[in-house]
Amino acid sequence: MTGHPAAAVAGGPETDLELLVHGVGGTTPEKMLGDPRTVRITGDDTAAVFRRAEDAEPGTHPGQGPVQEAYVWCNLTSGDGSRALWLLLLPFMVVNLAHWMRPAAPGRPRVVRLYGLLVRLAALTLTVLLVAAACEVALDLVAWQCAGVRACARRHSWLGFLAPGPVNAAWWTAPGRRLALAATIPATLVALLWYLSHRTWNAYESHQPMSSASLPAAGDTSPGGAVPTPPGTDDGGGARDGEPAPSPEDTRGGGASEAIDADPAGDGSALARPGFWYGRRLVARLRAAHTAAGLLTVASAVATPAVRFDHRPGGPAVLGVLGALLTVAIVAWAAAVVGVVCGRGRSENRLDRRLDRQLVRGLPLGALGLLLLTLLYAGWTRPGWRSGGRLPGDPAFGALMSAQGLLVVALAAVAGYLHRRRPDPRAGMRGLGGPAVTLLACALGGVMSGGVAQRVADWLDGTRALLPGPPVLLTWQASAIPALLAVLLLLAARLTVSTARHARAERARVRHEHPGEPEDPARTRAIAHARAMAGLTDRAPLVLAVLTATTLLLGASALAGALLTGRTPDGAAHRAHHAVQAVAQTSQALGSWLVGLGFLLFVTWGRRAYKDAAARRTIGILWDVGTFWPRAAHPFAPPCYAERAVPDLTWRMATWTRRTGGRLVLSGHSQGSVLAAAAAWQLTPPARGRVALLTYGSPLERLYGRWFPAHFGPPALAALHRDVACWRNLHRRTDPIGGPVRVPDDSTPEVDLEPLADPLAYGRTPDHPLPAPILGHSDYQADPVFTRERARLLARLRPGLPGQRPEPAAPDPGGAGTPTGQDVQGSSGRSSA
């Protein structure tokens, strides 16, 4: 493939264009366009638009139908080897999804803001949990426990210089200095998270959505296709040339016009707002707060044992005062961090280009200064100080788990209230999907933390029982995993039975759909099985509900057991009935083994993804689904690729339609249909009048409409149907992802076509002499219906009366240009063939 940027801007005679957007997992432009010779016409190595080489030059399109362009965005989620590090961010990605899973709630902005606040606080606890787990490993297990026991230190030669000696101990053997040295590991982890977030922040959040002032005038064929912003034109940032700057209240994000975390007016979608795909300011604030929280966690882990030693009876008075002052400072700075997280949500009504630079710089730098003072304080000489047992601070994990449980319960109450205000029978789990996902994110973070701690403890101690080991709560959490797996196995058995029954019922339907053809039992079973398996997607609410309820019950039991007994499960059951002892011992041993296996698989998968591009693309599928949404709750989550992809698509469609006056079919498959819908919402009304939407294998209603009802619920999809000129959706009964969008409208043709035949032929026919494959979610363009429906969409875009092409003209004061005859006709969006 070779670059050919000039072709992207040269005025051409084409009047019909199909812009293809691929789905999850990515693909190549050669496969999308069906031609081994493709040319990149605009974009870069991360995301670009391609054409066939024969269509790259103006006037060279030799075939029938529209000129095809392919937008390839897969490198946004599966690029270089650094994407493997994103596996560490999995809990952060999951909790960020919960922010967007709230029920629709028009007229309840305060409750909506409370929902967002609770999710942001839960996300903050996950950051603290991750750093606390790193402190548990580095400070407690390594520096405090193993390095403090000469037998353990001898088994690991690299710890020899930290081991206390009988006489004339080395300078580093003091407990506080060992802790100060080990604190560099969790502090480095915090720095790595900050670096990854800052790097992706510059690469993704820096792409501004399209504004009307940036568009070229109608008929403009200049190479850049852009015009300067006229004086007095609103550039989307809320200020006009020659007008006063925004007020301090707006600068702080508290202006009434910002509509922070609020639902859109009417029944539209917030995805149509100018600032929806530009969360740069919020991510910067949250990144500063979470970085500071991580550093303060390290400072607390180092300071706690030193402060306790200094406050013992007869302890050094000066160090006791210094410890008290340092504790107050850490608590005050932590309160400031919580205040920043609570203080501001997203502003979406306009492009918020400002950054809170003093806050973004000062908050983490202040936390770093407190950490350095803490290391200096802990390293001070304290005669008689010895490390023994676990590091003081064991209750920290219990407090974190309790806080997460309370936040999840409060979030469930808020989500339930919002759902009752506007019930949606299609919403997953009756609007409780967000709290359920938040709970799973917390559980995933706990399992990952406990897994690392368990494995490091086993590696350091072996089977000699020299060390107390990790906190008791982490052992209880690991012991709950076998019970959770048992429940999931029972659920899997039930789903298997119900799927088999569904497949048997589908066999009769398959035979009924092909009358007069010879019966092929194996063929019938294969088709029926594919349909039954595709139906499992609709059972996701049941699976998530069972998983959430079981996790909540087991998590509460583990917390209660750890707090009430203070012992591991087998120790707590020491005097119980022998059957209870056997269950406790088996659960603890099996849980530790399963956690270890999961940790090894996690590391192996990450290592393979770092070296193997194919494995990285597999992981990229997970990011394709999980990172569509902006980082509104957790700044360390993998970045939102839509903040690059949506402006790309919007710019391409807007500039092409304004330059050529032609008709455009926006063709999206699977996740590409979601990107296509988001881009269509961002277009101006004149541009939408010449854009038809063709979706296939689309999860717009089946997944996004059910799990993200505030943004893709029935009112939002109905508004999209009204906004675009025309829309057709194709789906199959064998597709496990795509489905109908269910947007009926009596005044225009319905969006959904009848389910496509799959396979295309039941038996062997003259057109299909070999057995036709069951396509499921793939190869929609191979169906003849695809070409027919695309032609019908283009015909519906044709104006009733031909309009005269406009002459190049200067833009109007609003920067949108004067609408042509096609603009006026297309804006109604309801022209017929």
Side-chain angles (χ1 to χ4, degrees), residues 12-288:
E14 73 264 9
T15 58
D16 296 338
L17 177 70
E18 180 184 12
L19 183 55
L20 300 163
V21 187
H22 65 76
V24 298
T27 185
T28 62
E30 293 84 0
K31 186 173 182 179
M32 293 178 69
L33 298 173
D35 194 315
R37 298 176 61 248
T38 60
V39 173
R40 186 175 72 192
I41 60 172
T42 184
D44 53 25
D45 293 337
T46 304
V49 174
F50 296 83
R51 280 191 182 186
R52 297 185 181 93
E54 59 187 9
D55 295 335
E57 296 294 340
T60 60
H61 179 54
Q64 300 296 323
V67 175
Q68 287 187 318
E69 291 184 352
Y71 178 66
V72 180
W73 54 272
C74 55
N75 283 337
L76 290 171
T77 55
S78 57
D80 56 27
S82 64
R83 299 296 196 274
L85 296 175
W86 289 5
L87 284 172
L88 295 172
L89 314 178
L90 186 58
F92 305 157
M93 181 192 75
V94 175
V95 76
N96 191 71
L97 284 178
H99 174 89
W100 304 103
M101 297 178 73
R102 63 170 174 82
R108 293 293 183 272
R110 293 184 178 179
V111 184
V112 169
R113 293 170 189 169
L114 176 60
Y115 181 97
L117 168 62
L118 293 173
V119 177
R120 292 198 299 274
L121 289 176
L124 183 64
T125 65
L126 284 177
T127 297
V128 175
L129 177 62
L130 176 65
V131 180
C135 292
E136 168 61 28
V137 171
L139 276 67
D140 186 10
L141 295 176
V142 176
W144 185 264
Q145 295 186 30
C146 188
V149 179
R150 279 181 288 176
C152 182
R154 289 196 196 100
R155 297 182 64 243
H156 305 281
S157 57
W158 52 277
L159 285 176
F161 73 103
L162 296 177
V167 292
N168 297 328
W171 190 83
W172 282 110
T173 59
R177 293 163 191 166
R178 297 203 308 262
L179 294 177
L181 179 62
T184 58
I185 296 178
T188 302
L189 174 63
V190 175
L192 175 63
L193 292 174
W194 177 89
Y195 169 74
L196 290 175
S197 179
H198 188 270
R199 176 185 176 187
T200 55
W201 179 72
N202 284 327
Y204 289 76
E205 275 89 3
S206 62
H207 291 272
Q208 297 185 14
M210 182 188 66
S211 61
S212 59
S214 305
L215 290 175
D220 182 14
T221 58
S222 61
V227 293
T229 304
T233 299
D234 189 351
D235 66 351
R240 296 172 182 266
D241 295 339
E243 291 186 359
S247 65
E249 183 180 16
D250 283 340
T251 304
R252 290 192 302 269
S257 64
E258 299 229 7
I260 299 172
D261 278 337
D263 261 9
D267 286 333
S269 174
L271 274 71
R273 293 175 178 171
F276 186 88
W277 299 110
Y278 195 65
R280 185 175 175 85
R281 184 180 183 187
L282 175 61
V283 175
R285 290 171 59 93
L286 290 179
R287 184 179 68 244

Side-chain angles (χ1 to χ4, degrees), residues 194 283-293 337 359-361 363-364 635:
W194 177 89
V283 175
R285 290 171 59 93
L286 290 179
R287 184 179 68 244
H290 282 245
T291 302
V337 169
L359 175 67
V360 169
R361 295 174 181 173
L363 200 62

Side-chain angles (χ1 to χ4, degrees), residues 387-406:
S387 60
R390 294 188 179 93
L391 187 70
D394 208 26
F397 286 97
L400 276 175
M401 190 173 180
S402 301
Q404 291 175 344
L406 292 175

Side-chain angles (χ1 to χ4, degrees), residues 555-573:
S557 301
L559 179 60
L563 295 179
L564 294 177
T565 66
R567 301 178 180 179
T568 58
D570 61 347

Side-chain angles (χ1 to χ4, degrees), residues 214-396:
S214 305
L215 290 175
D220 182 14
T221 58
S222 61
V227 293
T229 304
T233 299
D234 189 351
D235 66 351
R240 296 172 182 266
D241 295 339
E243 291 186 359
S247 65
E249 183 180 16
D250 283 340
T251 304
R252 290 192 302 269
S257 64
E258 299 229 7
I260 299 172
D261 278 337
D263 261 9
D267 286 333
S269 174
L271 274 71
R273 293 175 178 171
F276 186 88
W277 299 110
Y278 195 65
R280 185 175 175 85
R281 184 180 183 187
L282 175 61
V283 175
R285 290 171 59 93
L286 290 179
R287 184 179 68 244
H290 282 245
T291 302
L295 294 175
L296 292 176
T297 301
V298 182
S300 300
V302 175
T304 299
V307 169
R308 287 193 176 186
F309 182 80
D310 293 338
H311 279 75
R312 76 190 191 284
V318 176
L319 290 179
V321 173
L322 291 177
L325 293 176
L326 192 60
T327 301
V328 171
I330 291 175
V331 172
W333 211 252
V337 169
V338 175
V340 170
V341 173
C342 296
R344 184 179 187 275
R346 286 170 52 84
S347 64
E348 299 169 352
N349 282 349
R350 58 185 176 84
L351 291 180
D352 192 354
R353 296 186 176 93
R354 296 181 299 275
L355 293 176
D356 307 290
R357 298 190 182 277
Q358 293 182 351
L359 175 67
V360 169
R361 295 174 181 173
L363 200 62
L365 287 178
L368 179 60
L370 287 175
L371 175 59
L372 295 177
L373 289 176
T374 302
L375 299 182
L376 180 63
Y377 165 75
W380 207 263
T381 302
R382 291 175 174 85
W385 190 17
R386 300 290 183 269
S387 60
R390 294 188 179 93
L391 187 70
D394 208 26

